[in-house]
Amino acid sequence: TLLAKDPTTRQAYLPVWFPEDTGGGNGRAPCTLGYHFIMRDGKLDVTYYIRSCDFVRHFRDDIYLTVRLQLWVLDQLRKDDETKPEQYRVWKNVRPGQFLMHITSLHMFRNDWQQMFGDS
C-alpha cells in the first residue's frame, strides 16, 4: 500500500518480527526479520533481513520465496496501477531489481557437514 501511494518511498519495510516478540516467551524467535522494498531506476529491489539460516535445509527456499514475494509485490502494484488514469501509472514498466540478503548467522550442522564433505 505504501509503495502504491508513494513509489519512491524509502520506508516500504515488511516486518515479520515485532518488538513484542523479543519478550523471551516460550516460542522460538523467528529467523526472518523482514523485507525492505525500494524502487529505483525503474526496478523494484528487495533486501531480505534474516537472523539465522540453516544452509542445508532453508537457504535455497529462503531465496526462492523472497524472490517470489518480490515478484508478487510487483504484480500487486501493477494491478493497482490499472485502476488509475494512464498519466498516474508508475509500475507498468518497472522490472524486478536487486535481491540482497543479510544473514547474521548462516550455519551448517556438523552432521550435515560430515555428510557433504566427509570427516575432515
Side-chain angles (χ1 to χ4, degrees):
T1 302
L2 184 57
L3 281 166
K5 288 181 190 175
D6 181 5
T8 61
T9 186
R10 299 180 312 263
Q11 299 179 24
Y13 184 75
L14 175 62
V16 175
W17 199 10
F18 296 92
E20 57 269 21
D21 293 330
T22 62
N26 296 333
R28 288 181 54 210
C31 294
T32 294
L33 302 174
Y35 308 87
H36 183 253
F37 297 92
I38 192 164
M39 193 265 286
R40 293 291 184 264
D41 300 320
K43 296 178 182 164
L44 181 65
D45 299 336
V46 62
T47 303
Y48 177 30
Y49 297 96
I50 183 168
R51 179 188 60 77
S52 181
C53 183
D54 181 322
F55 182 75
V56 173
R57 288 169 187 79
H58 301 292
F59 182 66
R60 289 174 295 184
D61 290 339
D62 285 338
I63 292 171
Y64 173 78
L65 291 170
T66 301
V67 172
R68 292 299 304 168
L69 177 63
Q70 178 186 26
L71 295 173
W72 181 85
V73 167
L74 186 54
D75 186 54
Q76 297 305 303
L77 290 164
R78 288 177 180 155
K79 287 179 183 176
D80 181 71
D81 249 10
E82 292 173 2
T83 66
K84 299 175 184 174
E86 186 69 35
Q87 69 267 28
Y88 297 111
R89 294 181 185 177
V90 175
W91 296 99
K92 180 179 180 180
N93 295 316
V94 173
R95 299 291 173 237
Q98 293 185 40
F99 163 79
L100 302 169
M101 187 174 188
H102 294 270
I103 307 170
T104 302
S105 175
L106 178 62
H107 57 270
M108 177 187 289
F109 294 100
R110 179 170 288 147
N111 60 334
D112 295 325
W113 177 274
Q114 290 169 340
Q115 190 172 8
M116 288 180 76
F117 301 109
D119 290 330
S120 53

